[in-house]
Amino acid sequence: MLPRTLQAVLSGRVTDADGSPIADIAVSPRWTFDVETPEPSNPVRTKADGTFQIDLDFGIRPEALMALDPERRVGGVVVIDPAQTGAVHVI
């Protein structure tokens, strides 16, 4: 039997430490590391208000999203486990 997958549209908002929205941030669950620079695979970008929407296919494990600024110097990671949260909405 093949593992079950859950398809979901995840929405969220990227902010700085002060809570201000950050625009043009790449958000993706898959990144490659070429030499020293991480590059996202099929990223979405945050809008002027810091919001984004991304389609995810969850397998049997939680999914991690990484968000990095255009210069790839500042970012963050969030782990989403739909088995524990039911409906997923990351802020």
Side-chain angles (χ1 to χ4, degrees), residues 8-62:
V9 176
L10 179 73
S11 61
R13 184 170 183 241
V14 177
T15 62
D16 65 15
D18 297 324
S20 299
I22 307 174
D24 199 34
I25 298 293
V27 179
S28 178
R30 289 167 189 69
W31 292 73
T32 57
F33 292 82
D34 183 22
V35 185
E36 296 179 8
T37 306
E39 291 299 325
S41 175
N42 298 321
V44 297
R45 297 217 171 258
T46 58
K47 298 176 185 175
D49 64 356
T51 61
F52 68 90
Q53 274 195 323
I54 189 168
D55 295 326
L56 292 178
D57 292 325
F58 290 95
I60 58 173
R61 295 188 175 107

Side-chain angles (χ1 to χ4, degrees), residues 2-3 16 29 40 42 68 77:
L2 294 174
D16 65 15
N42 298 321
L68 288 175
V77 175

Side-chain angles (χ1 to χ4, degrees), residues 55-74:
D55 295 326
L56 292 178
D57 292 325
F58 290 95
I60 58 173
R61 295 188 175 107
E63 187 75 52
L65 285 181
M66 186 161 76
L68 288 175
D69 71 338
E71 292 78 30
R72 308 292 189 256
R73 288 189 229 147
V74 179

